[in-house]
Amino acid sequence: KKDDLNIDGSYQREEVSKSKVMEIARDWDWKLFGTLSVIMRKDGTFWVYDGGHRCRGSFLRDDITELPCMVFEAEDEKTEAKAFIGTNTMKSVVSAYHKHRAAVKTGEPIAVAAQSILDKHGYFPTQSASKKYGFAAINTLQSQVKEDRVLAEKVFAACASMAQDGEPISGEVLDAVFTCQKKLEGKADILTNGHLERLKRETLPGIEAAIRREKHIVGKGGATISAKALLDVLNKGKQRRLT
């Protein structure tokens, strides 16, 4: 029965496409519906991990009381979240943001470490890069954590200190600072003291503008190009240049 079905928002999409749900309800077609993938938890409750929009569409129709489901048993919610990631990854419809939320739920080490960094500085994962204290470059942060967790933490802390009143930190700026510091390893530390103060004065929008200019000049982007732009910012007006 559809009334027995639940959807766990702790690892699935909270941004439901209302228009998609309405379309499914309005143009209901059993041939297109297929089956819902459902986990039966230990307490006997049923939780949809694939087919949330179709399930929600049925809630808008009084003529539908039961839905076809493939039901599997799961030991815990981590197993359930892993099933969500696997199913949606195969379909290539799940975003980095939703993969991250589900991976945190399952206790995946890289995702948990990345989330810990965000939590420490008051940021939260989001799909919208314009939200105050929102962070959308999840893949960038996770890649850096995987490569060098200690440096990733220092880089994010430095970028967060440059941010004013929770303004977004872009993946390009994060890449620029991380790559630049790796390049200068053993020669200079741009994450502390005078170098960091200079970057703060430049502001995040100023650094992003410098990266855009460099990309325009070179004709391509990437972490190396972003790091070159950041290095130029740090060297501006200096006799002893960082290289």
Side-chain angles (χ1 to χ4, degrees):
K1 295 181 180 180
K2 72 177 183 182
D3 292 340
D4 291 335
L5 296 172
N6 305 281
I7 299 174
D8 192 335
S10 68
Y11 66 84
Q12 293 198 40
R13 302 166 176 80
E14 76 274 13
E15 303 94 342
V16 176
S17 172
K18 293 181 180 179
S19 61
K20 184 175 181 180
V21 171
M22 291 294 293
E23 180 183 356
I24 291 172
R26 183 183 64 247
D27 303 324
W28 191 269
D29 188 337
W30 284 111
K31 295 188 297 296
L32 302 178
F33 187 87
T35 59
L36 303 178
S37 296
V38 177
I39 288 290
M40 184 176 70
R41 294 182 179 175
K42 283 189 173 183
D43 63 0
T45 57
F46 298 96
W47 297 80
V48 178
Y49 68 87
D50 183 51
H53 281 89
R54 285 172 285 154
C55 185
R56 289 184 176 93
S58 75
F59 294 156
L60 301 179
R61 297 183 62 106
D62 293 334
D63 59 327
I64 295 172
T65 58
E66 296 182 344
L67 298 171
C69 303
M70 288 286 289
V71 181
F72 305 88
E73 295 182 358
E75 288 298 314
D76 50 37
E77 290 176 39
K78 288 185 178 181
T79 305
E80 187 179 320
K82 285 180 180 178
F84 168 78
I85 295 174
T87 301
N88 285 281
T89 298
M90 285 191 295
K91 294 179 179 179
S92 300
V93 297
V94 65
S95 68
Y97 164 72
H98 290 107
K99 285 182 182 178
H100 172 75
R101 290 183 67 218
V104 170
K105 182 80 173 183
T106 66
E108 194 280 316
I110 299 299
V112 170
Q115 185 61 50
S116 176
I117 293 172
L118 294 177
D119 291 342
K120 183 176 180 179
H121 299 283
Y123 278 81
F124 60 90
T126 179
Q127 293 191 99
S128 172
S130 62
K131 289 184 178 179
K132 189 175 180 180
Y133 286 104
F135 182 74
I138 300 297
N139 281 342
T140 300
L141 179 57
Q142 288 192 359
S143 295
Q144 292 177 0
V145 168
K146 186 176 182 179
E147 181 177 346
D148 188 334
R149 177 174 176 173
V150 173
L151 180 58
E153 290 179 352
K154 291 180 179 178
V155 166
F156 196 91
C159 291
S161 72
M162 296 179 216
Q164 298 181 15
D165 196 27
E167 66 182 333
I169 300 169
S170 71
E172 281 190 325
V173 169
L174 209 62
D175 256 343
V177 178
F178 186 89
T179 305
C180 191
Q181 184 58 54
K182 291 284 283 189
K183 178 181 175 63
L184 295 171
E185 191 171 10
K187 295 187 289 185
D189 184 357
I190 66 171
L191 306 179
T192 58
N193 303 326
H195 295 309
L196 181 56
E197 290 304 315
R198 187 180 185 93
L199 293 178
K200 287 180 181 179
R201 291 194 298 272
E202 189 71 21
T203 73
L204 289 179
I207 295 171
E208 290 169 354
I211 292 172
R212 286 196 298 272
R213 287 194 297 271
E214 187 67 22
K215 286 167 62 179
H216 179 73
I217 292 170
V218 178
K220 62 180 181 179
T224 301
I225 301 302
S226 297
K228 168 64 168 56
L230 189 74
L231 201 59
D232 288 345
V233 169
L234 290 166
N235 284 330
K236 187 177 180 180
K238 286 190 173 183
Q239 291 184 336
R240 296 183 61 182
R241 298 172 61 85
L242 298 172
T243 58

